[in-house]
């Protein structure tokens, strides 16, 4: 799944939706704030739903915010001539995803920027995001975030009748814009990493099978991968194993960061 997300391999995404069920995917999207009509079929895995940049960026911000969605506000407060507050809008947060789930999604989308379709969005600090491209290159997207800031870029014509041109994918048309904006805004800020929440562990697995690594395995055939506690694959059955059964290959994720 990590590699499929990094390189926008849609067949894997379709299989994921098939495995989870369309209704669960729609329910999560609604919780994240996506309001438009959603088809109850597998095309939802390909992005067949119409969304606004604000909706999508707000949804991604929930991943950055440990699974808590914040209600977007455009006016924080209004004061009168004497400085009295006439209206005040405070941020409102709603948990929509577990902290562990949000972290796993973030970890995978970090690879989109590290070596996937979003490499042109690399800002030299921890960041995660995803590219998007519509049919016939009519518009292109990049939505991403750091631990402190989420931003989305949409590139296209407002009438959707013209193409941006062959090859104008999200990683080419939108990601560089996002990169320049984020570098400018965060230039003087510190560069914190995404926090690993409780309940996340890391195991070394084979890249081709996902099975726990045996002793003396080649580094080129293995990777360190994050899992929720209790879901690390069992090498024999493929089912989650007890952590103590694979303790030689497993340490708490905090030790890897």
């Amino acid at each position: 799944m990590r590699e499929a997300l990094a390189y926008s391999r849609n067949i894997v995404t379709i299989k994921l939706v098939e495995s989870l069920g369309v209704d669960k995917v729609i329910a999560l999207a609604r919780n994240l704030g996506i309001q438009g009509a959603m088809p109850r079929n597998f095309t939802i895995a390909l992005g067949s739903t119409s969304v606004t940049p604000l909706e999508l960026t707000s949804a991604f911000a929930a991943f950055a915010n440990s699974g808590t969605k914040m209600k977007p506000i455009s006016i924080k407060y209004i004061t009168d001539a004497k400085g009295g507050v006439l209206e005040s809008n405070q941020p409102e947060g709603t948990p929509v995803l577990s902290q562990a789930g949000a972290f796993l999604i973030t970890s995978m989308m970090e690879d989109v920027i590290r070596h996937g379709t979003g490499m042109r969005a690399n800002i030299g600090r921890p960041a995660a995001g995803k590219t998007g491209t519509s049919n016939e290159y009519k518009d292109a997207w990049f939505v991403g975030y750091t631990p402190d800031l989420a931003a989305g870029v949409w590139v296209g014509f407002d009438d959707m009748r013209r193409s941006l041109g062959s090859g104008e994918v999200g990683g080419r048309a939108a990601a560089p814009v996002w990169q320049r904006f984020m570098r400018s805004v965060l230039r003087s800020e510190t560069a914190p990493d995404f926090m690993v929440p409780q309940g996340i562990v890391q195991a070394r697995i084979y890249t081709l099978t996902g099975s726990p690594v045996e002793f003396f395995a080649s580094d080129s055939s293995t990777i360190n991968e994050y899992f929720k506690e209790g879901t690390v694959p069992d090498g024999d059955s493929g089912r989650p194993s007890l952590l103590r059964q694979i303790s030689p290959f497993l340490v708490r994720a905090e030790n890897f960061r």
Side-chain angles (χ1 to χ4, degrees):
M1 190 64 214
R2 177 180 293 274
E3 184 174 343
L5 194 63
Y7 295 103
S8 294
R9 293 174 180 168
N10 293 329
I11 294 298
V12 177
T13 310
I14 293 172
K15 290 185 177 297
L16 177 63
V17 173
E18 182 180 17
S19 175
L20 294 174
V22 172
D23 289 340
K24 287 185 178 180
V25 175
I26 291 176
L28 177 58
R30 294 296 188 208
N31 288 339
L32 288 168
I34 306 301
Q35 301 297 323
M38 298 185 194
R40 294 190 69 258
N41 55 54
F42 294 153
T43 64
I44 196 172
L46 304 177
S48 57
T49 301
S50 294
V51 297
T52 68
L54 179 60
E55 280 182 320
L56 199 55
T57 304
S58 176
F60 272 55
F63 304 140
N65 199 32
S66 300
T68 297
K69 179 186 180 299
M70 304 303 295
K71 181 180 179 181
I73 56 175
S74 57
I75 300 175
K76 189 172 182 180
Y77 58 88
I78 300 173
T79 62
D80 59 23
K82 297 181 179 180
V85 177
L86 301 177
E87 181 178 344
S88 177
N89 295 310
Q90 299 301 317
E92 298 177 9
T94 304
V96 294
L97 192 66
S98 71
Q99 292 186 9
F103 174 79
L104 292 175
I105 293 172
T106 294
S107 176
M108 288 189 287
M109 288 201 292
E110 284 185 278
D111 279 0
V112 175
I113 294 178
R114 286 192 186 112
H115 54 74
T117 58
M119 289 180 64
R120 289 185 175 92
N122 194 314
I123 55 175
R125 63 169 64 208
K130 188 68 185 75
T131 56
T133 309
S134 64
N135 294 340
E136 301 176 358
Y137 306 105
K138 288 187 176 180
D139 61 359
W141 296 73
F142 188 84
V143 182
Y145 52 91
T146 68
D148 299 320
L149 180 66
V153 173
W154 174 85
V155 179
F157 296 102
D158 56 4
D159 59 9
M160 292 296 291
R161 295 178 182 178
R162 290 178 288 172
S163 171
L164 293 172
S166 179
E168 292 299 319
V169 294
R172 178 176 177 175
V177 180
W178 186 90
Q179 181 202 55
R180 289 194 295 272
F181 170 77
M182 295 294 278
R183 278 184 171 174
S184 175
V185 172
L186 299 173
R187 182 179 294 112
S188 60
E189 302 295 327
T190 58
D193 205 346
F194 294 102
M195 293 183 59
V196 182
Q198 291 293 322
I200 291 291
V201 295
Q202 195 175 62
R204 194 155 188 84
I205 61 173
Y206 290 103
T207 54
L208 293 179
T209 66
S211 300
V213 169
E214 301 169 354
F215 291 111
F216 310 117
S218 169
D219 287 343
S220 63
S221 64
T222 65
I223 60 170
N224 290 321
E225 184 57 275
Y226 291 106
F227 297 90
K228 289 184 179 180
E229 284 187 342
T231 67
V232 179
D234 185 303
D236 295 325
S237 65
R239 296 175 297 183
S241 61
L242 295 176
L243 296 182
R244 64 177 179 271
Q245 294 176 322
I246 58 170
S247 57
F249 320 111
L250 184 65
V251 298
R252 290 215 170 260
E254 288 84 350
N255 296 335
F256 284 83
R257 303 297 286 188

